[in-house]
Amino acid sequence: AVRALAAARVKLEAGAPDAASGLLGVALAGPLDERQRARAALLHAEVVFTASRGNAAAPLLLDAARQLDRLDPAPARDTYLQAFSAAMFAGRLAVRDGGPRDVAAAVHAAPPGPGQARDPLLDGLAALFTAGAGAAAPALRRAVAVFLGNGVPAGEQPRRLWLASTAAMALWDGDAWRALADRHVALARDSGALAEMPLALNARVTVHLLEGEFDEAASLSAELRSITAATGLRITDHGALAIAAWRGREAEAEELTRTGSSEAASRGEGSGMTVADWTRAVLYNGLGRYDRARAAALRAVADAPAPGAASQWAPAELAEAAVRSGDRELASRAVELLARSAHAAPSDWALGIEARSRALVSGQGAAESLYREAIERLGRTRLRPDLARAHLLHGEWLRRERRRIEARRQLRTAHQMFTTMGMAAFADRAARELRATGETAQRRGGPAGGDLTPREGQIALLATTGLTNSEIGSRLFVSPRTVEYHLRKIFAKLDITSRSQLDRVLTGEVVRDAVVPDRGGCR
């Protein structure tokens, strides 16, 4: 029975929850003591969470944590952390005793922890959902510092890094978030922990998105789909939804968000529905269809506060959409909601987004300085899409103030940035504003070799990193023979004869849906 329990744990970490469940049944049929039965209850809850990321897991994990409280406080607090993960995934669809506030209340009522390195993370999350971001910030900062300083045992890091990167996100600390997401992907890959890979990849995809690295995000999104197809694990593919929205592809984005929301709802993953609404808000703000952007942002903002799309980013979308829809009162409320989060953990990212949003609802004198502050602060970050949007909003404001020459400078900068990143809808919006100032935006020519399929583009870019056919096949869950077949087609389409020529002929846009990260992991 004990061996079956250990084997079930290994199967789960390898991304085989069905096999783990079968072995767990074998273990439960044998002689287990009270502590082992508590661990079996924990494993069952983990199987449920890993398989679907739905709302059924959080109550099970919370119950397992309470059982462990009186038997072994260290794994109990570890289990509370897992319960937080599950509760945040449940989001708007959380069931009784399965929401983040339920977990936080249980943590506050639990016996004191043994002072291990993960305690600041648990205590910070508990404070976040009961007292707010301001009260949680000190503990969350300590937790992020512990993880960045390798203060957590290596064996525990892969399962905790998603929450650690979430803490960095709550602190608006882009550098820490990127570093922790990078480490999560690398550790999950190196250990072969397929159960962790979807979490790790989704986190890193989101970082790429906010930094305007859509090709890299598309590559990791494709890898996520390969893993979920191979393992049967289910999770919302944030990258697929957001990339289409950021690039302004309305039909594709609507189909993906509609399908993604439906699938997320069917398994109780409320966070997937929130992400879909947030991406819709970005899409329609880019397209200038502000009523639809406002409706989507309102749904995201209405969700329970949590790090990420609902409490941090959706209010900025709501402020822009509401102002452009003529509802300044709603826009002002959205700005104040954003400000509470931003001032709880001030950074150039947080304060730059707040300044950009506050400028929308401010008078002439204040708006000018706020737009300049937003551009200055965001210019010190890696958040190119948000910086470009600050230039766009400033340019739009200047044009309405009849300051056309100044407006052109801001709008040209925005248009160039959006075009370079591939944010077509926002680029078109900037071009329309430029035309209104009497200037026409310059169009870029189409990329060479754009007839590669997404899979061909993915394999082509993997080949440029020096991976062998076997290594590429392992990454993409296909055979080396299949990789060889695709490479022959790639060479023919690009009119080349060897891998050494790929770097010369490929551009970022050629494989816009399939570019891969650097050979050492993610940039």
Side-chain angles (χ1 to χ4, degrees):
V2 172
R3 286 196 298 272
L5 195 59
R9 163 69 59 191
V10 174
K11 281 290 188 182
L12 178 61
E13 292 174 354
D18 290 342
S21 184
L23 286 163
L24 183 58
V26 173
L28 289 171
L32 297 175
D33 62 26
E34 186 179 17
R35 182 171 297 186
Q36 289 164 342
R37 287 198 171 274
R39 289 182 177 274
L42 168 59
L43 186 57
H44 169 63
E46 291 176 310
V47 167
V48 172
F49 180 48
T50 300
S52 69
R53 309 294 176 187
N55 57 4
L60 296 175
L61 285 162
L62 199 49
D63 183 61
R66 289 167 174 151
Q67 290 183 53
L68 288 166
D69 263 338
R70 57 189 176 81
L71 298 171
D72 195 341
R77 290 178 72 80
D78 194 61
T79 306
Y80 281 122
L81 281 172
Q82 295 185 72
F84 265 126
S85 294
M88 284 190 278
F89 266 92
R92 67 175 70 169
L93 299 180
V95 297
R96 181 179 178 182
D97 210 26
R101 291 189 179 92
D102 298 317
V103 180
V107 169
H108 288 313
Q116 296 183 359
R118 62 179 174 268
D119 284 0
L121 179 57
L122 180 59
D123 296 340
L125 290 171
L128 181 65
F129 289 106
T130 53
L140 292 177
R141 285 195 187 94
R142 290 196 300 273
V144 168
V146 166
F147 278 87
L148 288 175
N150 291 316
V152 177
E156 295 181 14
Q157 285 195 32
R159 291 186 300 146
R160 299 294 151 253
L161 278 167
W162 183 77
L163 281 174
S165 62
T166 298
M169 186 196 309
L171 295 169
W172 296 85
D173 188 340
D175 291 337
W177 183 21
R178 184 186 319 106
L180 292 170
D182 271 345
R183 186 183 301 173
H184 195 186
V185 172
L187 286 175
R189 279 202 182 121
D190 291 346
S191 64
L194 289 183
E196 280 298 308
M197 282 300 292
L199 279 176
L201 290 171
N202 256 343
R204 193 59 181 95
V205 161
T206 307
V207 177
H208 280 309
L209 284 167
L210 295 185
E211 293 182 353
E213 298 173 344
F214 304 126
D215 292 334
E216 290 87 342
S219 171
L220 295 190
S221 178
E223 185 176 348
L224 186 152
R225 291 192 294 275
S226 295
I227 290 170
T228 54
T231 61
L233 302 177
R234 293 184 292 168
I235 188 172
T236 300
D237 180 0
H238 296 176
L241 303 183
I243 291 165
W246 261 248
R247 285 176 164 158
R249 302 172 186 167
E250 182 180 3
E252 179 185 351
E254 269 298 336
E255 177 62 25
L256 287 170
T257 53
R258 184 165 50 249
T259 302
S261 290
S262 176
E263 292 177 352
S266 70
R267 60 178 179 269
E269 188 195 332
S271 64
M273 301 173 71
T274 302
V275 168
D277 284 327
W278 169 55
T279 56
R280 278 193 181 107
V282 175
L283 169 70
Y284 287 111
N285 271 332
L287 292 169
R289 295 167 63 180
Y290 300 112
D291 286 343
R292 299 196 70 169
R294 170 185 160 179
L298 273 171
R299 290 193 297 271
V301 168
D303 285 342
S311 66
Q312 288 181 252
W313 309 327
E317 302 303 330
L318 179 58
E320 184 172 334
V323 162
R324 294 294 187 249
S325 301
D327 192 341
R328 296 183 69 84
E329 181 181 349
L330 176 60
S332 295
R333 292 202 304 270
V335 171
E336 294 311 313
L337 177 62
L338 175 65
R340 287 200 292 273
S341 172
H343 286 275
S347 67
D348 280 328
W349 177 12
L351 297 179
I353 297 294
E354 188 215 351
R356 188 188 76 192
S357 300
R358 191 171 294 281
L360 289 165
V361 297
S362 298
Q364 181 175 2
E368 175 80 29
S369 61
L370 285 167
Y371 280 126
R372 293 187 183 278
E373 178 188 350
I375 290 169
E376 181 181 354
R377 288 188 178 280
L378 292 171
R380 292 196 290 262
T381 74
R382 296 166 59 108
L383 307 170
R384 293 183 298 158
D386 277 316
L387 175 59
R389 291 178 69 176
H391 283 292
L392 172 62
L393 289 173
H394 191 197
E396 290 175 336
W397 180 82
L398 287 167
R399 186 185 71 78
R400 286 162 176 73
E401 293 293 314
R402 301 183 184 279
R403 295 161 61 179
R404 292 189 175 187
I405 294 176
E406 295 169 89
R408 287 171 187 167
R409 286 198 293 268
Q410 297 296 328
L411 293 169
R412 277 197 299 266
T413 299
H415 183 266
Q416 181 180 14
M417 293 180 70
F418 288 135
T419 302
T420 299
M421 288 183 287
M423 297 179 67
F426 281 99
D428 288 345
R429 182 172 144 188
R432 289 194 298 272
E433 289 289 329
L434 270 172
R435 286 194 294 273
T437 70
E439 181 174 318
T440 302
Q442 297 296 313
R443 287 188 171 272
R444 294 174 58 186
D451 57 348
L452 292 185
T453 67
R455 175 63 94 187
E456 288 168 352
Q458 191 178 25
I459 288 173
L461 266 293
L462 280 169
T464 67
T465 68
L467 296 178
T468 66
N469 287 0
S470 294
E471 289 167 335
I472 294 172
S474 178
R475 179 74 63 86
L476 302 180
F477 296 92
V478 297
S479 71
R481 188 182 296 274
T482 299
V483 174
E484 182 181 356
Y485 165 76
H486 282 299
L487 281 172
R488 286 200 300 270
K489 292 180 66 178
I490 291 164
F491 291 168
K493 286 184 177 182
L494 299 180
D495 193 25
I496 60 176
T497 57
S498 70
R499 294 177 184 230
S500 63
Q501 298 171 287
L502 282 170
D503 274 327
R504 176 175 57 79
V505 298
L506 290 178
T507 69
E509 293 158 310
V510 170
V511 285
R512 62 188 180 186
D513 293 320
V515 183
V516 299
D518 295 337
R519 74 181 68 181
C522 300
R523 285 191 300 183

